[in-house]
Amino acid sequence: MKTFSKYISLLVIILLVVGCSEDKVSFSGTGSITGKVVSKGDNVPLENTRVSTNPSSSIVFTDASGDFVINNVAIGTYSVQAQKDGYLSKFESATVTEDNSVNVIFELDVETANNDAPNAPILVTPANNAINQTLTVDLTWVGTDPEDDDLVYQVQILNDQNSDVLNYTDLTDTTLTVSGLDYGIKYFWQVSASDNINDPVLSETFNFKTIEFPSNRVFFTRKINGNNVIFSADSDGNEYQLTSSGSNSWRPRKASNIDKLAFLRSNGGQTQIYTMDLNGSNVAQVTNSISVNGFNLEELDFEWKDDNTKFVYPNFDKLYQINVDGSGLTQIHQTLNANFITEVDWNQFTQRLAIKTNNASGYNVEIYTINNSGTILDYVLQGVNGAAGGLDYSFDGTKLLYTYDVSGNQNTDYRQLNNHIFIYEIATSAVDDISLNKPAGTNDLDPKFSPNEAQVIFVNTSNDGISQKDIVVIDVLITNDRALFLENAKMPDWK
């Protein structure tokens, strides 16, 4: 009897426990669960979303409209789950009643919905308001993300001179080397960071200023990729390119008391005079209707005149004067023997012009001086065989530099064999040869006085006509003291 009572008590306990289960589903009837799954925010239907229940019933997938139906669900309360790759799963409660349908709507967030944006990048170098930065700068910054997501950066650089914008995209490193900057410019830079999930986050804006352009006094030409390119150099021979190798520019001529450089440039098959600032900016064309022309374009020379307000330049047998702004074109001289004018120099103290002329082959050379009216005053060189050139007045106009091929050689290739540099005294007609210690087999060409006139800068090259040209400096009083200044360089100017 006691044993039977124990079994009855155990059965009652079991029934009570089963009756208290939260997952108990009555089997007395069924209903259905219907619904729709869309993406949160734009309500786009989500197809092929997995929909299931707890307690478990059938597992179904949404159709192209995002709709689903679960039939024959036992009456009771269910937790309905929607799951789709790329989205956060979501649960909704549904109570099923007999022979009825309960509707459930799911709005699913993308799985990155809870992802935090990157932290704002911290700019490191150059420090804000840094000055005297070189033209190649390493920009560095620190980038972090709360979830350690991989970050992609974009750098934007503006300046205070124009509307140019430099953009560097798809950067994964936190250092960017920027080159080709301009002298004396203030640059502003900002970094944005993206985790490809959230909107990009911007850093502060820093600024830095590049070094000022050096006050170089030597200018020269070098051939690059078939074009003449103009450079400047400091006293130590450090070089700075001023014109692009994409254009043919040569024969730089510095103004004496303003920061302007004039030069020759090919333009549409003609040679024109241009000016620019000493850093290569603000290029402006001067000549137009009558170009610079004559024998051998690389031999042609021109000169500033009248306090750097005018130029004088040759066009075959005529010498023209033109204002710096391109106005006032005037012919001021024409040769008497139909020779071409190839070179010209002007002296502000004597108001005299020195001119070198030659025939169409480069010979029958005459070097003479004229006044501003074009009247010939005296001859420096005439009636000789061989080539000559390289005119440059001393500051006071009492001396004139020129070169002459003392071999007297004349040939169809215009090859010069033994060019020496001479200093001509205007008052006495005395001539001093300063190339007596020139290396054998070479030519000294294109001489210019140094600013203090204690030295002469010039080109020395082999007389084979094809070897490299180098710029050399010589002391006027110690003519055996020759020093190499620049390699692979020609057409020097020293102001």
Side-chain angles (χ1 to χ4, degrees):
M1 187 67 179
K2 290 181 179 180
T3 302
F4 179 75
S5 297
K6 289 181 181 179
Y7 282 117
I8 293 298
S9 298
L10 181 61
L11 179 60
V12 171
I13 292 171
I14 292 173
L15 290 174
L16 288 172
V17 171
V18 172
C20 293
S21 174
E22 291 183 357
D23 291 332
K24 171 66 176 176
V25 178
S26 172
F27 293 94
S28 62
T30 63
S32 63
I33 301 174
T34 64
K36 190 178 190 71
V37 183
V38 297
S39 60
K40 187 174 182 179
D42 55 13
N43 292 323
V44 173
L46 296 179
E47 186 180 9
N48 289 326
T49 302
R50 182 181 187 273
V51 181
S52 59
T53 65
N54 182 27
S56 178
S57 62
S58 299
I59 296 175
V60 297
F61 291 86
T62 57
D63 61 17
S65 298
D67 297 324
F68 68 90
V69 177
I70 306 176
N71 291 314
N72 300 317
V73 181
I75 61 175
T77 299
Y78 293 83
S79 176
V80 185
Q81 182 183 33
Q83 294 175 286
K84 184 173 177 63
D85 288 344
Y87 291 84
L88 294 175
S89 297
K90 193 168 184 180
F91 295 86
E92 295 288 350
S93 177
T95 299
V96 179
T97 59
E98 187 173 1
D99 296 330
N100 290 316
S101 176
V102 59
N103 191 259
V104 181
I105 302 297
F106 289 95
E107 291 182 298
L108 300 189
D109 269 327
V110 293
E111 63 183 359
T112 57
N114 296 327
N115 184 279
D116 291 323
N119 299 315
I122 300 173
L123 306 187
V124 180
T125 60
N128 197 22
N129 299 311
I131 60 173
N132 296 324
Q133 300 298 298
T134 63
L135 303 190
T136 297
V137 174
D138 286 335
L139 305 179
T140 65
W141 61 93
V142 174
T144 57
D145 184 84
E147 288 86 15
D148 291 328
D149 293 329
D150 291 334
L151 298 180
V152 178
Y153 303 99
Q154 177 175 340
V155 176
Q156 185 177 79
I157 305 175
L158 299 89
N159 69 82
D160 65 350
Q161 298 294 308
N162 54 49
S163 60
D164 292 347
V165 179
L166 300 176
N167 276 308
Y168 300 87
T169 60
D170 298 325
L171 305 174
T172 57
D173 196 3
T174 55
T175 297
L176 172 66
T177 300
V178 181
S179 58
L181 301 176
D182 290 327
Y183 290 96
I185 303 296
K186 179 178 281 190
Y187 289 93
F188 302 85
W189 65 292
Q190 187 176 44
V191 178
S192 70
S194 172
D195 57 5
N196 291 316
I197 299 170
N198 299 279
D199 291 335
V201 178
L202 294 174
S203 71
E204 294 183 76
T205 298
F206 273 18
N207 73 78
F208 62 88
K209 189 172 183 180
T210 53
I211 57 174
E212 297 295 334
F213 193 84
S215 300
N216 295 332
R217 303 181 71 175
V218 175
F219 302 87
F220 65 94
T221 303
R222 175 177 292 145
K223 186 151 286 187
I224 301 176
N225 298 328
N227 280 331
N228 288 309
V229 179
I230 295 174
F231 291 76
S232 69
D234 61 23
S235 58
D236 295 323
N238 298 309
E239 303 173 3
Y240 303 85
Q241 184 173 331
L242 303 182
T243 62
S244 168
S245 59
S247 60
N248 189 29
S249 308
W250 71 100
R251 195 64 68 182
R253 289 289 173 257
K254 166 72 170 60
S256 58
N257 60 4
I258 59 173
D259 290 334
K260 284 289 183 180
L261 190 73
F263 60 99
L264 301 180
R265 172 172 284 177
S266 297
N267 182 352
Q270 295 184 323
T271 299
Q272 307 288 0
I273 297 175
Y274 286 77
T275 60
M276 64 181 173
D277 292 344
L278 300 186
N279 62 3
S281 63
N282 295 322
V283 175
Q285 183 175 337
V286 178
T287 56
N288 193 355
S289 59
I290 298 179
S291 63
V292 182
N293 214 336
F295 165 77
N296 193 333
L297 294 179
E298 293 223 356
E299 297 284 328
L300 295 177
D301 204 351
F302 67 102
E303 188 55 271
W304 294 87
K305 184 176 181 288
D306 292 348
D307 292 328
N308 307 298
T309 63
K310 299 179 177 65
F311 292 107
V312 283
Y313 70 96
N315 181 275
F316 296 108
D317 63 337
K318 299 178 179 65
L319 186 69
Y320 288 91
Q321 177 176 285
I322 191 171
N323 294 328
V324 171
D325 64 3
S327 65
L329 178 64
T330 307
Q331 178 184 321
I332 61 174
H333 181 67
Q334 185 171 8
T335 62
L336 302 178
N337 56 5
N339 264 4
F340 296 161
I341 299 173
T342 302
E343 298 181 39
V344 60
D345 194 36
W346 179 77
N347 184 262
Q348 62 179 339
F349 284 103
T350 64
Q351 294 291 301
R352 289 188 176 189
L353 291 154
I355 294 174
K356 188 211 88 169
T357 73
N358 49 260
N359 61 22
S361 299
Y363 303 114
N364 188 30
V365 170
E366 291 184 344
I367 297 177
Y368 56 86
T369 62
I370 64 173
N371 59 22
N372 282 329
S373 299
T375 303
I376 297 177
L377 301 175
D378 61 85
Y379 284 88
V380 177
L381 187 70
Q382 68 175 155
V384 296
N385 291 330
L391 306 183
D392 189 47
Y393 271 118
S394 63
F395 179 76
D396 60 6
T398 62
K399 301 179 180 66
L400 181 69
L401 277 175
Y402 70 91
T403 63
Y404 171 60
D405 184 358
V406 298
S407 73
N409 180 67
Q410 298 189 166
N411 56 85
T412 56
D413 295 328
Y414 194 62
R415 178 178 173 181
Q416 301 169 52
L417 300 182
N418 194 13
N419 260 293
H420 284 222
I421 300 172
F422 296 89
I423 299 178
Y424 178 81
E425 296 281 349
I426 302 293
T428 64
S429 300
V431 179
D432 182 21
D433 185 346
I434 64 172
S435 293
L436 295 177
N437 292 292
K438 175 179 63 67
T442 67
N443 287 315
D444 286 345
L445 304 166
D446 278 337
K448 295 290 177 183
F449 282 113
S450 66
N452 64 6
E453 298 185 3
Q455 296 174 308
V456 171
I457 192 171
F458 61 95
V459 171
N460 180 259
T461 184
S462 170
N463 67 14
D464 61 11
I466 59 174
S467 292
Q468 175 176 295
K469 295 178 173 66
D470 298 317
I471 292 180
V472 177
V473 175
I474 190 172
D475 287 333
V476 173
L477 297 180
I478 311 174
T479 54
N480 63 344
D481 186 12
R482 303 165 68 98
L484 177 65
F485 182 61
L486 292 167
E487 293 183 329
N488 187 25
K490 59 183 180 179
M491 303 181 189
D493 191 52
W494 194 355
K495 287 291 192 299

